Amino acid sequence: MRLVGHTHRPPQAREEHVPLAAGQETLWELMRALAPSDPGAARLPVVDFRLLSGELEPAALEGALGDLIHRHHALRTVFASADDEPVLHVRPEGQVPLHHVDLSGLPPAERSRQLDALVHRERFAVFDLARGPLWRVHLVRTSAHEYLAAVSFYHVISDGWACSVFFEDWMHAYRARLGQRAPQEHLDVSLRDAADQQRADLPVSAAHDAYWRARLLPLPTRPVFPPRVRSPEADLTAEVALPFSFDDSTVGALREVAWRARTTPFLALLAAYHVLLCHLTRRERLVAGTTTLGRGAGVWRRVVSQFTNNVYLEIPTSGASSFLDAVRATHATMAEAVAHTSSFGRIARAVRPSFDRERPWPFLNLFDYWFQSAAPAAPDLSHPELSVRQVGPGGQGALDTEAPLLRAREVGDSLPVWARRGVPLVIVDDDRRGGVLVYNRDVYDTGMVAELAETYRWFVTAVVTEPERTLRDVLAALPGSARLE
């Protein structure tokens, strides 16, 4: 390999102080509610993992991270202040937070245990907001020619989409340092540029405020999933993912229903979950929370930053209607909500006049349940000496072998927020062939979540197979006696 000393960099990196962008407000308010005295300890990063197989040049890999720090302003960002309305400081330079870990010489069982422990820690990483960096990479050697690259970002500076941008740019810079391709052109997009673009995409109007008041009031008062923190020793990081999947016949029927309703399979799956939860809770009204990409076309899809926008859906349901009707209603509700997308602060003040006096007041107060799509699956990257493949996070094995990272007794008055953070939520796979129910097993009953997953799988199959049958008839045939109250 030919190791090149450097790649193209701009003559001088920009330094700036900027307020939060609209897409960052939601997460910041939640971080402050989880850890009021130190939001960097909210343990809510965005993480991603890649398996690197082949010959690796560590010096070039580390140098390539330095190139990324100059390319993406978020990687040089720290907090100049950390109050209700914080100020972000983009430094002109930044350090490379790369940590090398060699597990290749360990017996398989011990290597697996240590890898699980490391992954679990990174899934709940803590960051120093004032000193930074607000991200880090662990390069874990697991055999002679295989490494796991684990990247963790403070969620305020990065969303799930940005993880793929990070890895693609990292591998591009790495190959440039090896002389295998030309360096990337300079990306002249600052944090202020991103914030200005988000504000331009979210017009402020009294009509938007009125829309959210009409859809979200009254705010939820009874949890769909009542938390049960039975011990002060409960592990608040005992987050697990329970998978569910649909067979080929169901997936085909789901796509057909979505096509007939002129919508997406994702919204059809959301419609089914909404109808089922209304039935299981015996409620006529529930508000769903979900998220949108928040990125326009072009350069905005190549920036490491936090762009996602949340929307909240009051979906009308009726037992006398068909599933096809429910899917169309969900599509119409989503389109209307997206058209009225507003920043979290704007929505919160519209529906909660006392918001500024009560802060932190997180977005968890706006919805009854959460349902979202996984980030698009990252493509495999193949290079002459190295292949790069996205892998699942894992780490759940550490819950049975390692001490809790955070116990209920350690969070004081923030415990109700932590309990709601661990509430069962649905993340649908990018290919819509299944998904996971993610929840905290020390706060919510595993048997209840498992029954819900199986009931949902059955219900989706039933309604997409007979989409014109009344929902009342389908629900009458629901197996078992599942109830969430």
Side-chain angles (χ1 to χ4, degrees):
M1 291 185 185
R2 182 168 66 91
L3 186 60
V4 179
H6 59 85
T7 63
H8 170 73
R9 289 184 179 180
Q12 183 174 2
R14 275 197 260 176
E15 180 176 16
E16 58 184 352
H17 289 80
V18 296
L20 289 182
Q24 297 171 316
E25 291 181 7
T26 306
L27 288 162
W28 178 246
E29 197 74 14
L30 177 58
M31 303 289 195
R32 292 191 66 242
L34 290 166
S37 62
D38 178 13
R43 297 185 180 274
L44 191 64
V46 59
V47 296
D48 206 355
F49 303 88
R50 295 292 192 278
L51 187 65
L52 280 57
S53 303
E55 296 290 337
L56 204 61
E57 290 284 351
L61 202 65
E62 185 165 353
L65 282 178
D67 299 332
L68 259 64
I69 289 172
H70 280 257
R71 181 174 177 80
H72 295 287
H73 289 218
L75 304 183
R76 294 183 273 117
T77 296
V78 295
F79 279 72
S81 66
D83 51 16
D84 284 349
E85 305 295 340
V87 173
L88 303 180
H89 175 206
V90 182
R91 292 169 168 166
E93 300 289 337
Q95 65 189 88
V96 177
L98 176 61
H99 306 276
H100 293 273
V101 180
D102 191 350
L103 303 181
S104 61
L106 297 177
E110 179 61 16
R111 181 168 62 245
S112 178
R113 186 193 70 78
Q114 290 198 27
L115 191 60
D116 269 351
L118 184 149
V119 168
H120 180 62
R121 287 195 303 272
E122 289 310 294
R123 289 179 61 225
F124 296 93
V126 170
F127 297 91
D128 186 322
L129 300 187
R131 295 180 59 188
L134 302 185
W135 61 287
R136 59 176 171 257
V137 177
H138 281 81
L139 188 64
V140 185
R141 186 175 188 175
T142 56
S143 68
H145 300 293
E146 193 165 89
Y147 300 78
L148 178 73
V151 60
S152 308
F153 296 95
Y154 189 57
H155 208 339
V156 170
I157 69 162
S158 174
D159 55 25
W161 180 279
C163 291
S164 289
V165 174
F166 176 88
F167 273 106
E168 289 170 14
D169 285 359
W170 187 17
M171 291 301 106
H172 188 125
Y174 173 65
R175 292 186 63 202
R177 282 185 166 264
L178 296 177
Q180 296 175 352
R181 66 183 306 177
Q184 289 179 294
E185 290 297 320
H186 174 47
L187 184 67
D188 189 22
V189 178
S190 71
L191 222 59
R192 187 176 298 278
D193 294 332
D196 289 346
Q197 181 63 39
Q198 290 182 52
R199 276 190 288 272
D201 290 340
L202 299 177
V204 173
S205 74
H208 281 59
D209 296 345
Y211 171 83
W212 289 114
R213 279 192 291 270
R215 297 300 179 274
L216 298 182
L217 295 178
L219 295 171
T221 56
R222 290 185 299 151
V224 169
F225 304 95
R228 295 177 176 83
V229 183
R230 295 188 173 91
S231 165
E233 300 303 309
D235 184 357
L236 298 181
T237 65
E239 186 179 281
V240 294
L242 183 70
F244 59 86
S245 60
F246 309 115
D247 60 30
D248 290 344
S249 176
T250 298
V251 173
L254 171 68
R255 292 171 179 165
E256 173 69 17
V257 169
W259 181 86
R260 290 178 62 186
R262 300 298 186 267
T263 191
T264 63
F266 172 78
L267 288 180
L269 290 171
L270 170 56
Y273 192 67
H274 183 81
V275 170
L276 180 62
L277 282 192
C278 286
H279 175 73
L280 295 179
T281 58
R282 299 184 178 93
R283 300 188 202 177
E284 295 183 357
R285 177 183 182 269
L286 292 175
V287 173
T290 191
T291 190
T292 63
L293 183 60
R295 293 172 182 256
V299 69
W300 305 112
R301 301 211 170 194
R302 297 304 314 160
V303 177
V304 172
S305 192
Q306 165 61 41
F307 280 85
T308 56
N309 292 313
N310 292 350
V311 291
Y312 310 96
L313 312 176
E314 184 190 41
I315 304 170
T317 58
S318 169
S321 63
S322 69
F323 180 61
L324 201 54
D325 294 330
V327 175
R328 289 173 176 142
T330 302
H331 176 88
T333 303
M334 183 68 169
E336 193 177 59
V338 169
H340 290 85
T341 302
S342 300
S343 70
F344 166 71
R346 187 81 191 189
I347 294 175
R349 291 180 176 92
V351 303
R352 191 76 168 185
S354 58
F355 169 71
D356 287 300
R357 296 193 304 273
E358 296 182 55
R359 298 182 73 176
W361 191 85
F363 77 109
L364 305 177
N365 293 306
L366 296 175
F367 59 89
D368 291 290
Y369 69 89
W370 190 260
F371 190 100
Q372 74 171 67
S373 172
D380 293 349
L381 304 176
S382 296
H383 308 303
E385 299 89 6
L386 186 69
S387 67
V388 182
R389 177 169 58 88
Q390 187 177 36
V391 293
Q396 290 185 188
L399 295 176
D400 298 319
T401 61
E402 307 297 316
L405 295 178
L406 186 69
R407 295 176 172 87
R409 60 177 167 80
E410 298 176 80
V411 299
D413 293 340
S414 297
L415 182 57
V417 184
W418 279 93
R420 292 188 66 185
R421 170 183 165 174
V423 74
L425 59 88
V426 176
I427 303 177
V428 179
D429 292 341
D430 184 45
D431 61 7
R432 312 309 187 221
R433 303 186 70 88
V436 291
L437 268 161
V438 180
Y439 69 102
N440 185 307
R441 71 179 192 184
D442 273 18
V443 181
Y444 297 90
D445 180 67
T446 293
M448 178 272 292
V449 178
E451 185 175 8
L452 175 61
E454 177 57 26
T455 303
Y456 177 55
R457 187 204 60 77
W458 180 93
F459 186 65
V460 168
T461 299
V463 291
V464 300
T465 302
E466 298 182 274
E468 295 181 357
R469 188 180 176 189
T470 67
L471 293 170
R472 183 179 296 113
D473 286 347
V474 179
L475 291 167
L478 206 64
S481 56
R483 286 288 183 269
L484 295 179
E485 294 190 324

